[in-house]
Amino acid sequence: MSDETPSPRPSERRRRPNVAGGRVARHVVKASPEEEGVLLRLALAQGVTIPRLLVESALAQDAGETASERRAMITKLYELHRLLAAISNNVNQIAKATNATRELHPETFATLTAVRKTAMQIDELTDELSLT
């Protein structure tokens, strides 16, 4: 067994990917202790380093979002997809029971409400992603 730590998946990468020729420009930014605390909190929340947070935030002025925020939205979209799959399983079970008994079960309306709510969340997130 190797002592090496496994490399993070691409979506979990804290540092920015390398670019051909490297990055030659360097900027020094001074921050107060309070500002440093805010930067650290934001960087930890997005799972990135403070330099990456600063670069993405500055470059996102035109795009309206950072790459980390976009990745978080995509993750949320996948979560909603899994939720919709689970709900559709419930719909299939309800349909099977309804067909067998010819009676509408009380869970039907709650499940269909969950389907509509999830579909609306997916639509909203898709709209957010398409605006960038």
Side-chain angles (χ1 to χ4, degrees):
M1 198 180 258
S2 173
D3 289 344
E4 295 178 22
T5 58
S7 61
R9 293 187 311 208
S11 65
E12 296 175 359
R13 184 177 169 104
R14 290 180 42 87
R15 295 182 60 220
R16 295 186 299 154
N18 295 336
V19 295
R23 291 184 175 87
V24 294
R26 178 185 169 124
H27 302 277
V28 177
V29 178
K30 293 185 178 184
S32 69
E34 294 81 16
E35 292 169 334
E36 175 69 9
V38 172
L39 289 172
L40 185 58
R41 181 179 50 80
L42 290 171
L44 287 173
Q46 293 186 28
V48 297
T49 62
I50 290 177
R52 181 173 179 173
L53 172 76
L54 293 173
V55 169
E56 285 183 356
S57 298
L59 297 178
Q61 292 297 323
D62 294 332
E65 68 186 15
T66 65
S68 299
E69 290 170 334
R70 185 173 183 84
R71 191 171 35 258
M73 281 195 278
I74 291 170
T75 300
K76 180 66 176 172
L77 193 57
Y78 283 125
E79 289 172 7
L80 290 171
H81 183 268
R82 285 190 299 272
L83 178 61
L84 194 57
I87 293 170
S88 67
N89 186 41
N90 289 351
V91 169
N92 286 337
Q93 292 172 354
I94 291 169
K96 183 177 180 180
T98 301
N99 288 334
T101 63
R102 301 285 187 221
E103 293 177 11
L104 195 59
H105 297 277
E107 304 89 21
T108 303
F109 296 110
T111 301
L112 293 177
T113 300
V115 169
R116 286 185 195 100
K117 180 180 175 186
T118 304
M120 285 175 37
Q121 288 176 326
I122 290 172
D123 287 344
E124 289 170 6
L125 193 55
T126 303
D127 289 345
E128 282 183 49
L129 289 171
S130 67
L131 293 177
T132 59

